[in-house]
Amino acid sequence: MVDTAQNALIRRLIRAGTSTDDEIDALLKDVGLAEVARVLIEEVLFRCPEPANTAPVHVALDVTHSGERYTVALRMVRDEPIAMVEDDSARVRSRVAFTAAGLVRRLFGPADTPRTGDFENTFVPTPDDPGQVSELLAEMNTVLRAAAQATATLMAGCTSRSPDLGELSIRYGSDKWASFHWYTAHYERHFAPYRDRQVRVLEIGIGGFDDDLGGSSLKMWKRYFPRGTVFGLDLYDKTALTEPRLTALVGDQNDPEYLTVMAREHGPFDLVIDDGSHMNEHVRTSFRTLFPYVRPGGLYVIEDLQTAYFPDFGGSTGGVAGPDTSLGLVKGLIDDLHHREHREPSVTRPTPTQSTVTGVHAYHNIVFVEKGTNGEDTLPGWMDADVWTALGAK
Ligand SMILES: C[S@@+](CC[C@H](N)C(=O)[O-])C[C@H]1O[C@@H](n2cnc3c(N)ncnc32)[C@H](O)[C@@H]1O
């Protein structure tokens, strides 16, 4: 569970990532190195890919500030979660040290090219006991190679650069790529501009229904948006997934009262993704209720639009998605986008979606709706076809 103080600290760290050294120093003075280092190390471990080394090895990570040092030792090996172990220095085969300010910038600063020059590293520290030298020599082939691989894994976690969504989808086991759906390429196209921003992301549908905890896509968003805060909403209790920068909420996407209270507390959101029940009525209720809580400049995404043709989900038969379906909603949004062009009758009081939908990008089974100010004017109604032609507007 993540308490309010931890959430406040992570928000300060995210802001500190792009601020001055003085501000990072002030934060460390307020909170103390140990507290800051614990949060940073948890974030590093979350961001690390799976270790590739087949021989187990211990790697230490030091976080330093003004002569103080906070250390964790990590046992790393392929197919096992990275485990924090006691810092038994004699067993550590590689040590990486960052200043706290340096690690804050690496994790929450702007994503730039991979860097060196802001950390120290020692492989196979010289043993205190000369008798250990022969033991180290015997290990050279296996353990030193493992230490190098494990250190590379650790360094891959010490960065605000995120892998692309196709790779993350595979890493976390989401079905948004190569599993009946090919969504991550569309997500990459539309979400890339938000990647380095302090986005608030809400996904309806955490996964796993009532028999599994799920959470694959929430982890994918958390890793993709290194400065983001991710919320997941599900009918079933998945609050065990809550951790720094990720909150699991319990609620029904077809309950507008619940959605309103939830959005007032946690919104506005930059990105909302509906991957919930895919029942046509539910999709429409969620959109109607939550689109007002999308920030201008944000996006509302609806997955699995195919259920607009599935009668079991409240969809239409006969190959034309009716007005009460999710695709009926999407078609209506295209009309809303063009409300300034409507004639007989023209629109005098635009609806909320007419005034705020500024783009509708539909692909096979998925749509991205852009929110903003839909204020571009039309040609005045008194201009008849002859005037248009005279102006060269054909
Ligand atoms: C397809 S899964 C989500 C998969 C997940 N987004 C991912 O990509 O890994 C759908 C989830 O929606 C949840 N769900 C079903 N009906 C819902 C409702 N009315 N309100 C909220 N969540 C619902 C289910 O419990 C299930 O966990």
Side-chain angles (χ1 to χ4, degrees):
M1 276 293 153
V2 181
D3 59 32
T4 329
Q6 250 179 314
N7 274 328
L9 175 55
I10 202 109
R11 278 198 300 274
R12 274 187 82 178
L13 286 167
I14 290 171
R15 283 197 301 272
T18 50
S19 61
T20 61
D21 276 354
D22 287 351
E23 283 178 59
I24 302 179
D25 280 351
L27 192 156
L28 281 155
K29 209 167 165 193
D30 277 3
V31 187
L33 175 65
E35 196 55 33
V36 168
R38 265 196 292 274
V39 173
L40 296 179
I41 289 164
E42 189 171 348
E43 187 69 39
V44 169
L45 296 186
F46 170 74
R47 293 187 191 188
C48 280
E50 278 192 22
N53 49 299
T54 48
V57 69
H58 286 197
V59 175
L61 175 60
D62 292 335
V63 185
T64 63
H65 177 65
S66 294
E68 261 189 278
R69 189 175 73 144
Y70 184 96
T71 297
V72 283
L74 306 165
R75 182 184 184 277
M76 299 174 72
V77 64
R78 184 187 287 177
D79 294 334
E80 288 182 29
I82 300 175
M84 284 196 213
V85 289
E86 219 168 293
D87 180 13
D88 175 0
S89 295
R91 302 190 64 191
V92 166
R93 293 292 173 266
S94 169
R95 185 171 281 281
V96 177
F98 285 98
T99 63
L103 194 52
V104 169
R105 287 202 197 295
R106 275 205 168 229
L107 295 176
F108 300 117
D112 49 15
T113 47
R115 276 181 294 168
T116 58
D118 62 348
F119 65 94
E120 291 177 22
N121 173 231
T122 337
F123 280 111
V124 198
T126 311
D128 297 331
D129 170 8
Q132 232 196 319
V133 170
S134 55
E135 193 189 314
L136 284 174
L137 282 172
E139 283 182 348
M140 282 303 269
N141 264 341
T142 47
V143 179
L144 191 56
R145 183 171 300 128
Q149 283 179 310
T151 307
T153 301
L154 184 65
M155 293 306 283
C158 297
T159 174
S160 57
R161 282 166 71 86
S162 42
D164 79 34
L165 282 169
E167 186 185 332
L168 290 178
S169 163
I170 294 162
R171 183 187 296 182
Y172 295 113
S174 160
D175 72 349
K176 292 194 194 305
W177 181 245
S179 154
F180 302 112
H181 306 307
W182 297 96
Y183 293 153
T184 53
H186 302 305
Y187 276 116
E188 194 75 53
R189 173 190 286 192
H190 290 279
F191 282 9
Y194 301 86
R195 200 165 177 168
D196 288 331
R197 299 195 204 158
Q198 293 183 43
V199 282
R200 289 177 92 74
V201 182
L202 168 69
E203 179 159 21
I204 303 169
I206 294 178
F209 297 84
D210 57 347
D211 50 39
D212 190 90
L213 194 56
S216 304
S217 55
L218 299 186
K219 290 189 176 146
M220 178 173 90
W221 303 132
K222 178 176 160 178
R223 183 66 184 87
Y224 187 71
F225 297 110
R227 314 179 74 218
T229 306
V230 177
F231 298 88
L233 167 68
D234 207 282
L235 203 50
Y236 299 100
D237 186 348
K238 288 155 193 303
T239 48
L241 287 167
T242 295
E243 60 184 33
R245 302 203 293 115
L246 192 164
T247 304
L249 306 164
V250 189
D252 182 354
Q253 75 166 125
N254 200 34
D255 176 350
E257 282 79 35
Y258 166 77
L259 293 180
T260 304
V261 171
M262 181 278 295
R264 284 195 183 136
E265 184 180 351
H266 299 293
F269 304 104
D270 299 276
L271 304 168
V272 174
I273 300 140
D274 182 348
D275 185 20
S277 70
H278 306 302
M279 298 293 294
N280 284 271
E281 182 200 341
H282 298 188
V283 171
R284 296 171 62 85
T285 305
S286 299
F287 182 84
R288 198 172 51 243
T289 316
L290 292 176
F291 195 67
Y293 294 93
V294 174
R295 270 204 191 109
L299 295 171
Y300 192 107
V301 186
I302 308 173
E303 290 189 9
D304 289 8
L305 293 166
Q306 69 275 16
T307 62
Y309 305 105
F310 297 174
D312 289 357
F313 286 76
S316 309
T317 52
V320 177
D324 294 336
T325 65
S326 56
L327 272 174
L329 166 79
V330 173
K331 294 188 225 178
L333 293 178
I334 297 175
D335 287 332
D336 287 346
L337 180 62
H338 295 94
H339 76 90
R340 290 265 188 135
E341 318 299 336
H342 295 191
R343 303 284 185 270
E344 295 166 23
S346 58
V347 175
T348 47
R349 287 164 145 245
T351 63
T353 44
Q354 286 176 334
S355 341
T356 59
V357 169
T358 53
V360 181
H361 307 263
Y363 305 91
H364 183 220
N365 293 342
I366 188 167
V367 68
F368 293 74
V369 182
E370 282 182 30
K371 169 115 178 231
T373 301
N374 183 25
E376 290 176 23
D377 205 357
T378 179
L379 282 173
W382 49 263
M383 285 193 181
D384 60 17
D386 292 343
V387 181
W388 280 52
T389 311
L391 285 173
K394 301 199 179 79

